[in-house]
Amino acid sequence: MAAQRTLIVGDIHGCHAELLDLVDRAALARDDRLLSVGDFVDRGPETPELLRLFRDETWADAIQGNHERKHVTSFAGTVKPARSQLISRQQIGEQAYPAAVAWFDALPRWAELDDVLVVHGFYEPGLPVSEQREKVIVGTLGGEMYLKKTYDAPWYSLYDGEKPLVVGHHDYRRDGQPFVHRDRVFGVDTSCVHGSRLTGLLVPEFRFVSVASRGDHWRALQAQHGEIAAPPRDSERTLWSQYVAGSLGELEGLRFSVLERLRDVAGAHAELRDEAPREAEALDALFADCERRAAALAATLRTRAADVIAALRADGYDALSHADQGRRFSDQVGPRPERALLHKARLGRLDAGEVMRAQKTPEALGELERALAPS
Ligand SMILES: [Mn+2]
């Protein structure tokens, strides 16, 4: 009888059909095993099927990835769920979700086989696997930042564990091929859920098996779930509360880029608007007013530029090179603050957005209005 083999599969992310394709292609025998490196949930069409497979089938095991962990932390209220967790929760169903989360929480953070060690994210040198920081081996942004700050070289080049290491989490090559570093670190995430490939590593023979993805599942799923909006990010929430608390300064004193960002944040997250409806309305009103004024200014400047060109035409302007046209135009206009905007108008590139980018604040818009007012 052949020795038992294990197919270690990269980030599956709800791609159940591709996983079945992969198991087929690997021609697993009856005693062979399947092991997910984690992130088998979220973003794909069939998260509940994968939950059922890894929880209920004795030949299939999984370790915890950052996505399974995020279900645990967001369900506990420690962090906000991302859109992909909200969609998975709906797919799994409210009734089954708490038990699913409890099972995610109980998943091991590593698997040690005869020939390899398997973790989802990263590995810090000098520490046994049992002493690895949770954020490092599970693969969070915080864990990645910690490694980058602490070490000068990429984490995989510093790997000093006894056995070769298999990881998921990052598609290191982005060409559908698995990542191999000196036959010591094997990266098997190849972005199946984004339309690339699903990859597994068969041990003990260290042979890669791979199948094509059936599509850009995450894009399709997001389009299907327009009703589930992404909750505000922490940075957006902070920006909004600073604005509401007045610590960003008076509304009038803010740059248009900040006002626009605030308006986008409030527009995308109804809950923020509900928390401070008066501020949201004041912001909308100010921004709409400024857009109207900027459009009027752009129209005035376009007319003035056209008048200048009409005057220059009598003097052979059309026959000049582009550079000379620019110089003649500048001479004619003289050293005025709005000269750069008049040039944009001359070249047909002036609209309200350009005016707001040049003037940057509502006050600066007012200054331009005064400069252009007929005396
Ligand atoms: Mn991951």
Side-chain angles (χ1 to χ4, degrees), residues 54-211:
F54 289 113
R55 186 167 62 180
D56 302 342
E57 297 284 336
T58 52
W59 61 285
D61 291 309
I63 62 172
Q64 192 184 71
N66 55 298
H67 275 261
E68 289 82 21
R69 182 178 182 272
K70 187 97 181 255
H71 279 282
V72 176
T73 52
S74 62
F75 191 64
T78 332
V79 299
K80 287 199 157 287
R83 197 171 181 206
S84 66
Q85 281 94 50
L86 292 172
I87 294 174
S88 291
R89 181 172 180 160
Q90 196 183 81
Q91 290 172 324
I92 292 167
E94 277 307 305
Q95 218 185 340
Y97 191 67
V101 170
W103 180 71
F104 293 151
D105 194 20
L107 285 172
R109 305 229 163 90
W110 74 87
E112 186 163 358
L113 312 187
D114 288 343
D115 307 281
V116 291
L117 178 66
V118 187
V119 305
H120 180 71
F122 316 107
Y123 197 98
E124 182 173 8
L127 298 173
V129 67
S130 57
E131 300 305 313
Q132 294 288 315
R133 285 161 207 254
E134 181 189 345
K135 289 184 174 188
V136 169
I137 56 170
V138 171
T140 70
L141 206 55
E144 191 167 8
M145 300 308 279
Y146 163 74
L147 291 174
K148 278 190 178 149
K149 265 198 307 215
T150 312
Y151 300 97
D152 289 335
W155 73 269
Y156 49 80
S157 69
L158 304 172
Y159 176 64
D160 58 359
E162 220 172 277
K163 297 175 181 178
L165 181 71
V166 183
V167 298
H169 190 55
H170 271 316
D171 181 355
Y172 288 89
R173 294 178 45 140
R174 300 184 155 273
D175 63 356
Q177 299 298 312
F179 170 75
V180 181
H181 182 76
R182 300 188 171 182
D183 285 343
R184 288 280 292 156
V185 178
F186 297 82
V188 287
D189 175 16
T190 47
S191 298
C192 183
V193 78
H194 303 296
S196 183
R197 300 187 73 79
L198 184 66
T199 298
L201 179 69
L202 261 177
V203 291
E205 61 254 59
F206 283 90
R207 179 163 65 84
F208 286 115
V209 188
S210 143
V211 294

Side-chain angles (χ1 to χ4, degrees), residues 253-324:
L254 291 180
R255 292 166 76 94
F256 286 125
S257 53
V258 176
L259 288 169
E260 201 167 11
R261 179 86 187 108
L262 278 166
R263 194 186 52 161
D264 288 349
V265 165
H269 306 296
E271 59 186 275
L272 294 181
R273 291 190 73 95
D274 291 346
E275 283 168 20
R278 247 164 13 102
E279 283 81 356
E281 264 176 42
L283 176 64
D284 284 344
L286 175 74
F287 205 85
D289 178 54
C290 288
E291 273 182 327
R292 224 174 11 249
R293 288 160 58 198
L297 285 165
T300 303
L301 288 161
R302 286 195 300 265
T303 306
R304 296 210 177 167
D307 289 347
V308 172
I309 290 172
L312 290 172
R313 281 216 165 104
D315 209 11
Y317 176 83
D318 288 326
L320 297 174
S321 71
H322 280 295
D324 284 338

